[in-house]
Amino acid sequence: LMRSVSSMLVLAGLTWLALGQPNVQGAGGQPPPPLHDTMLSMFDTDNDGGVSVAEITATLDGFEKMSAMGMGGPPNAAPGAENPMAATIRAAKRFAPMLHKLIDADGSGKLSKEELKWVAKTQGIIKKPGVLKHLVEGVFAKIDTDADEILSEVELRAAIEGETLEEILSMIQEQLPIPSLSTAASLSHDSRDLLKKHFQEGLAYLDTNGDGAVERKEMFGAVKGFKKMFMQGVTTVETMGPMLTMFKAFQPPGQSSNTGPQAKRRRGPPTHGEL
């Protein structure tokens, strides 16, 4: 699977470079396909109609190989300068598990085409100046009860366990609706525990130095990094996705993955080690 995904990405990347990194458009100059369709085609390596974290990681690993070959960087980059694509990939790998869980509204472990529509909606929201900043300032102020610019372990615990949790989540949902939080809020059984879990995991990503507390600069830095990674990632998908989809279309059925229904049907009797 890894070899197949990497090979397709490298081939698509070489073509992309050969064509001079063209603007995003569909065949015959038509508008590009919807982002969720492109993402599903790009990341759904076993063609089962859903995208898992493992499939995202495999595709990102392929992009990482491309960046190691110098693809994705500026044409006149100084020798030894880091390829911006490599930094984006590292950030994407870090955020991918949490982001996948937030988008996975039904908890299936696979992102459907419907769930992937969230990406384009969110792109439209966070690219507006000041939206994320306003949201982060509001959440930070709500948790930082002593106004010392640090969210202490006590304050974080109070925010997770106390009555302010619903207020904070309501603030988030009003400005940046997150599918899994909406689903959890509508549940009648153990809904609060699920909300607490999602919120706690989100705070853990903001604690970049791992000291149990979140400083203001940590929170804003993490959110700024997420926005940059998210927007660059969407641009990469919009640019490279259609090209990769084209190469996948020319592959023999079932060759893009060694898993899935087609691969299982072609497999012979199990070996002794598989029993």
Side-chain angles (χ1 to χ4, degrees), residues 223-267:
V223 173
K224 182 179 179 181
F226 169 78
K227 178 180 179 180
K228 181 179 179 181
M229 178 278 301
F230 186 90
M231 299 303 289
Q232 288 179 342
V234 170
T235 299
T236 300
V237 170
E238 289 176 330
T239 305
M240 292 293 295
M243 194 74 69
L244 177 60
T245 300
M246 179 183 71
F247 281 102
K248 285 179 68 176
F250 283 101
Q251 280 201 313
Q255 189 170 313
S256 63
S257 172
N258 58 5
T259 61
Q262 291 177 329
K264 289 179 180 178
R265 285 198 295 270
R266 290 192 304 273
R267 289 187 62 183

Side-chain angles (χ1 to χ4, degrees), residues 4 14-15 40 53-54 58 87-88 108 111 114 116 164 188 194-195 201 228:
S4 177
L14 289 171
T15 305
L40 187 64
V53 173
T88 300
S108 66
L111 300 182
E114 191 65 30
L116 287 170
T164 58
S188 59
L194 189 56
L195 289 170
E201 288 172 349
K228 181 179 179 181

Side-chain angles (χ1 to χ4, degrees), residues 94-95 130-144 148-151 171 175 202-203 205-209 213-229:
R94 176 173 177 252
F95 283 108
V131 172
L132 274 184
K133 181 180 179 182
H134 177 72
L135 175 59
V136 173
E137 285 177 342
V139 171
F140 194 95
K142 179 67 70 173
I143 301 174
D144 186 23
D148 66 349
E149 302 289 293
I150 298 175
L151 306 183
M171 291 169 59
Q175 299 179 60
L203 289 174
Y205 275 88
L206 300 177
D207 181 17
T208 55
N209 62 11
V214 179
E215 298 180 24
R216 182 182 177 86
K217 62 180 181 180
E218 269 186 300
M219 191 168 190
F220 276 84
V223 173
K224 182 179 179 181
F226 169 78
K227 178 180 179 180
K228 181 179 179 181
M229 178 278 301

Side-chain angles (χ1 to χ4, degrees), residues 21 29 93 126 130 162:
Q21 300 180 12
K93 282 185 172 182
I126 67 176

Side-chain angles (χ1 to χ4, degrees), residues 57-108:
T57 301
T59 305
L60 291 176
D61 285 341
F63 275 120
E64 194 163 29
K65 288 191 176 185
M66 285 173 54
S67 70
M69 296 171 61
M71 299 178 189
N76 300 317
E82 182 182 41
N83 188 331
M85 185 176 179
T88 300
I89 292 167
R90 284 200 308 273
K93 282 185 172 182
R94 176 173 177 252
F95 283 108
M98 180 189 71
L99 193 58
H100 188 281
K101 189 174 293 186
L102 291 176
I103 303 174
D104 186 16
D106 61 7
S108 66

